[in-house]
Structure formats: structure tokens, C-alpha cells
Amino acid sequence: GNEGAKRTKTATMLRHVLSAGGRAAVSAARPQSRNMGMGPRWLTKNKYVEEWNGRREITEKAFNATGANVANIVFYAAVLPLGVYWLARSELEKKGDRRYKDMC
């Protein structure tokens, strides 16, 4: 008597687990409807933002190396960082800070 009830309970649980897995497998096979990051249908794109995004994506193709551009790049990539380093080092040197002594 008791063993039959256990077997029935086990079979019922197994059937429940398998049927849930079957539903999960069927729903996973169905493709989801997505609108490719477009947002809600009522949302309209701002043409100026879209133009800016397109321009930003092709910056390396549209860049022209003129004298002013190269001068700005050299200033911000070399002169400014070296100037900050020089000022910080001279300040540490004047104060006699232990961090300056560690650098030497």
C-alpha cells in the first residue's frame, strides 16, 4: 500500500517536472519579438542626434590633419602633461617631501 503511494507521488512529480521542461523548451524555441533598440513605437528619433552619431562613427575617416589640429594634439598629449609633471615635481622638491626623495 505505502510503496504504491510513493511510486504514484514520484511519477506525478516526474511528470510535472518533465512537462514544465517541455513548456520551457517550446517557449525557448519561439523567437522573441524585439524592435532592435528602437524603443517604443511612439518615440521619434531626433535627426540632429542621429546625424551626430553617424558623424562620430566615421571620425577617423573624416579627420584632416591641419596645422592647428596637430598643434592641439601635441599640446594636450605632450606639453600639458609634462608641464603638470614639472610643476608637481618642483613643488615636492621645494617642500622637501619624502615622496621626492623616493623618486631620486
Side-chain angles (χ1 to χ4, degrees):
N2 192 13
E3 190 151 324
K6 275 185 174 178
R7 191 174 295 141
T8 306
K9 188 175 180 181
T10 305
T12 305
M13 285 175 34
L14 186 60
R15 195 175 314 120
H16 177 71
V17 168
L18 289 176
S19 68
R23 276 196 302 273
V26 169
S27 67
R30 192 174 332 134
Q32 292 183 346
S33 173
R34 296 183 187 233
N35 48 353
M36 301 298 218
M38 297 288 289
R41 299 263 182 235
W42 52 265
L43 189 63
T44 57
K45 291 183 176 182
N46 184 332
K47 70 177 186 175
Y48 300 107
V49 171
E50 294 302 319
E51 182 180 332
W52 179 78
N53 276 335
R55 182 77 172 160
R56 193 182 67 174
E57 290 173 1
I58 60 166
T59 300
E60 70 278 359
K61 294 176 184 171
F63 178 75
N64 291 325
T66 62
N69 289 345
V70 172
N72 278 336
I73 291 170
V74 168
F75 176 75
Y76 287 112
V79 175
L80 187 65
L82 289 173
V84 170
Y85 171 76
W86 178 77
L87 284 172
R89 184 178 173 124
S90 67
E91 182 69 24
L92 289 174
E93 198 175 321
K94 285 179 199 170
K95 281 180 62 178
D97 199 305
R98 67 170 178 79
R99 290 175 288 187
Y100 175 72
K101 293 174 186 165
D102 290 345
M103 285 192 300
C104 295

